[in-house]
Amino acid sequence: MILDQIAADTRLRVEAKKKEISLEEVKRDTQSMEKNTGFPFETALRKPDLSFICEVKKASPSKGIIAEEFPYLQIAKEYDEAGADAISCLTEPKYFLGKDEYLKEIAKEVKIPVLRKDFVVDEYQIYEAKILGASAVLLICAILEEEQLKVYLQIAKELGLSALVEAHDEKEIKQAVRAGAKIIGVNNRNLKDFSVNVGNSTNLRNFVPPEILFVAESGIKGPEDIAALRKNKVDAVLIGETMMRSPDKAKMLRFLKGEEHHEES
């Protein structure tokens, strides 16, 4: 399965990084930083209406290169100005062609919180996310044991970071709830065959207690998807490819919100 391969490669990447800067050093670096108060990412999603997390990504394993031209900073600023509630930034280098630098620069330039979208397999990456300026990290149930998930949630909390805990089915949602997740995201993409079913989010919504924020991820194409998710009391949507492929990102965001009636040609 592609996810297992990405996780294995990520472990190698983290081990290489530790040789350059040790875990003790990154921990020390975070101690001198001020702690976020109020968890800005969680706050951005906890509003009466649906929140929009717009993603900055160059490529993906299922689609290959999504954006040949990749002015990541300009894209992030467009999202911010267009009224996105948060930004998701890919930092995984091999399969998504992400870079830590993208996140570092974006977090400095935008007013809204930024999620580090990577495959966390080691606590090192959570401390690293804090240093890079992220407000949140992604934790994926499919590559973490429940006990590990619990520990990582606690580390994130101590650093003032939110954690978006990603699940794909009922079993993983229950695991996330038991571990203490405050934000659960359901990925509508099947990571075995890459097929997408937006109904996955609506089907699994009822398994998440109302006090836990619920995020629908992947495959959201138009206002009808948004309407269906809103109807099912989804708190936020994470939209990547649809935003990245749009030449006018502000217009696309208005279109998805139902404020713009004609999609761009």
Side-chain angles (χ1 to χ4, degrees):
M1 193 165 83
I2 185 74
L3 188 60
D4 296 332
Q5 188 57 54
I6 297 172
D9 286 337
T10 302
R11 285 185 193 98
L12 296 175
R13 171 166 48 113
V14 174
E15 288 312 310
K17 281 184 169 185
K18 282 180 180 174
K19 291 191 174 107
E20 291 171 34
I21 305 168
S22 70
L23 175 61
E24 285 63 38
E25 283 177 87
V26 294
K27 280 185 177 180
R28 207 164 41 240
D29 287 347
T30 62
Q31 279 162 10
S32 61
M33 297 174 75
E34 61 176 279
K35 298 280 182 277
N36 290 344
T37 50
F39 296 92
F41 184 79
E42 187 179 330
T43 305
L45 307 193
R46 210 174 275 287
K47 62 176 204 180
D49 195 15
L50 197 73
S51 299
F52 285 77
I53 307 162
C54 297
E55 192 154 81
V56 178
K57 71 171 166 186
K58 185 174 173 65
S60 76
S62 59
K63 301 288 182 176
I65 302 270
I66 293 166
E68 288 286 354
E69 292 282 306
F70 191 60
Y72 55 93
L73 208 48
Q74 186 190 320
I75 292 166
K77 286 177 179 174
E78 278 181 51
Y79 288 160
D80 192 0
E81 285 158 20
D85 298 284
I87 288 169
S88 165
C89 177
L90 261 301
T91 57
E92 194 287 321
K94 186 173 176 181
Y95 298 87
F96 293 86
L97 305 183
K99 286 183 182 174
D100 291 346
E101 288 73 27
Y102 297 159
L103 171 62
K104 196 174 184 178
E105 289 179 44
I106 287 169
K108 273 188 193 146
E109 294 288 333
V110 298
K111 297 183 289 293
I112 54 178
V114 184
L115 163 76
R116 183 191 192 186
K117 185 93 173 280
D118 209 318
F119 297 77
V120 173
V121 290
D122 192 298
E123 64 180 300
Y124 187 94
Q125 293 163 282
I126 306 173
Y127 291 101
E128 199 176 42
K130 176 71 177 174
I131 293 164
L132 291 169
S135 292
V137 289
L138 177 73
L139 301 175
I140 302 173
C141 287
I143 56 173
L144 297 172
E145 298 292 331
E146 191 174 323
E147 203 44 53
Q148 211 175 9
L149 180 59
K150 211 177 279 186
V151 170
Y152 291 176
L153 280 166
Q154 187 55 37
I155 292 169
K157 187 181 175 184
E158 285 164 10
L159 291 171
L161 298 174
S162 296
L164 171 60
V165 181
E166 183 173 292
H168 297 87
D169 55 31
E170 186 188 341
K171 180 172 167 272
E172 289 181 358
I173 283 178
K174 287 180 174 169
Q175 180 185 331
V177 172
R178 282 195 304 268
K182 289 191 165 184
I183 310 168
I184 292 178
V186 164
N187 196 332
N188 296 313
R189 188 179 301 284
N190 182 318
L191 293 174
K192 294 191 174 101
D193 61 10
F194 288 130
S195 63
V196 173
N197 172 19
V198 177
N200 200 32
S201 287
T202 53
N203 295 340
L204 294 171
R205 177 67 189 97
N206 290 339
F207 296 109
V208 176
E211 67 276 9
I212 296 175
L213 288 163
F214 186 93
V215 182
E217 307 171 35
S218 297
I220 295 152
K221 296 274 191 279
E224 62 291 341
D225 293 329
I226 299 290
L229 294 167
R230 191 180 260 130
K231 195 174 151 193
N232 282 275
K233 297 187 168 55
V234 166
D235 297 296
V237 287
L238 192 153
I239 306 174
E241 195 189 336
T242 299
M243 293 303 298
M244 283 303 305
R245 290 194 189 279
S246 172
D248 186 335
K249 291 175 175 41
K251 193 173 180 183
M252 176 52 83
L253 191 55
R254 289 196 301 273
F255 172 67
L256 291 170
K257 287 181 172 183
E259 296 164 2
E260 181 106 7
H261 296 297
H262 301 287
E263 190 184 351
E264 64 221 43
S265 54

